[in-house]
Amino acid sequence: EVQLVESGGGLVQPGGSLRLSCAASGFTFSSYWMSWVRQAPGKGLEWVANIKQDGSEKYYVDSVKGRFTISRDNAKNSLYLQMNSLRAEDTAVYYCARDRIAVAGTWYFDLWGRGTLVTVSS
Amino acid sequence: SYVLTQPPSVSVAPGQTARITCGGNNIGSKSVHWYQQKPGQAPVLVVYDDSDRPSGIPERFSGSNSGNTATLTISRVEAGDEADYYCQVWDSSSDQGVFGGGTKLTVL
């Protein structure tokens, strides 16, 4: 079965760190760009970061630059998000998503995990 | 950064046609993608590249994109179509993904 399964969410204090993981199965993980997308409680979707197949290119939303790091391990079919200096506004469900190339040479997301909740609070 | 604007809500009776808009500066020059999200569930891609449907998505879902507005059209709306819908583009000038604020579709 083609699927993405996130883990690693939880409660963390402001200023703390957390590492999210995403396990991919049912497809050739190393052939795809991958993204993290988040959704604050009761709010809309926000793209967070993505990473090229070999990890050589990474892009981030402005609000997490310098605090979050996306990485991957193709041998383990896994995607990661290291989150440092966490803030209350980072509280959200974090989804792992598979990127696909659009006609215009950009990306959309055709496969999503069920998400993992990160709560930043004292 | 690039901004996408969606109406917060759209209501339609069963069997009618729902149209959800997504506004952006010269959005017609970009590829627009649409996602459906039901409560407590992950988003699902319903239209990509303005008007293409992934396998398994009913033909009732269609899209168009021109000028400053992209539109997701749902024909013969069913109760099961009630959900939040999000448009999305990739902003090549900033190398960032961008989502619209979302539209809640209510089936009356």
Side-chain angles (χ1 to χ4, degrees):
Chain A
E1 181 185 3
V2 176
Q3 64 176 356
L4 299 168
V5 179
E6 302 91 339
S7 61
L11 175 63
V12 61
Q13 293 188 341
S17 298
L18 208 58
R19 188 196 196 205
L20 306 183
S21 299
C22 170
S25 59
F27 65 98
T28 305
F29 178 75
S30 60
S31 295
Y32 293 88
W33 283 72
M34 296 293 297
S35 281
W36 288 98
V37 178
R38 68 183 178 182
Q39 186 171 35
K43 302 298 185 182
L45 301 172
E46 180 182 39
W47 174 84
V48 174
N50 72 346
I51 184 169
K52 193 176 179 178
Q53 291 93 330
D54 63 359
S56 62
E57 292 184 41
K58 305 174 185 181
Y59 300 102
Y60 298 90
V61 69
D62 290 345
S63 59
V64 309
K65 285 179 181 176
R67 300 188 300 123
F68 290 11
T69 301
I70 189 172
S71 62
R72 64 192 296 162
D73 185 337
N74 289 338
K76 295 182 177 180
N77 291 330
S78 292
L79 178 72
Y80 306 102
L81 186 68
Q82 177 67 42
M83 304 184 296
N84 299 331
S85 303
L86 282 161
R87 307 166 179 167
E89 54 264 37
D90 295 318
T91 295
V93 173
Y94 284 74
Y95 295 100
C96 168
R98 186 174 73 178
D99 293 13
R100 298 302 299 271
I101 300 285
V103 168
T106 58
W107 288 271
Y108 61 96
F109 316 112
D110 75 331
L111 178 67
W112 297 66
R114 298 185 66 176
T116 186
L117 176 63
V118 172
T119 303
V120 184
S121 175
S122 56
Chain B
S1 60
Y2 194 77
V3 176
L4 295 174
T5 302
Q6 297 183 237
S9 62
V10 168
S11 298
V12 63
Q16 300 303 304
T17 298
R19 294 179 179 84
I20 298 173
T21 59
C22 176
N25 183 34
N26 196 28
I27 195 174
S29 67
K30 300 181 180 295
S31 290
V32 180
H33 321 291
W34 293 90
Y35 304 86
Q36 175 194 69
Q37 186 180 35
K38 297 182 179 180
Q41 298 185 18
V44 173
L45 179 71
V46 293
V47 167
Y48 66 98
D49 286 344
D50 295 341
S51 58
D52 289 336
R53 280 185 313 277
S55 60
I57 300 300
E59 292 183 6
R60 301 185 297 104
F61 289 81
S62 62
S64 61
N65 183 20
S66 179
N68 293 317
T69 304
T71 303
L72 174 69
T73 301
I74 309 172
S75 304
R76 302 180 299 283
V77 166
E78 303 173 356
D81 298 331
E82 192 163 277
D84 294 326
Y85 290 85
Y86 296 89
C87 58
Q88 177 253 319
V89 301
W90 187 267
D91 181 13
S92 297
S93 65
S94 63
D95 284 324
Q96 297 183 19
V98 179
F99 286 94
T103 298
K104 180 177 181 58
L105 175 67
T106 299
V107 181
L108 301 172

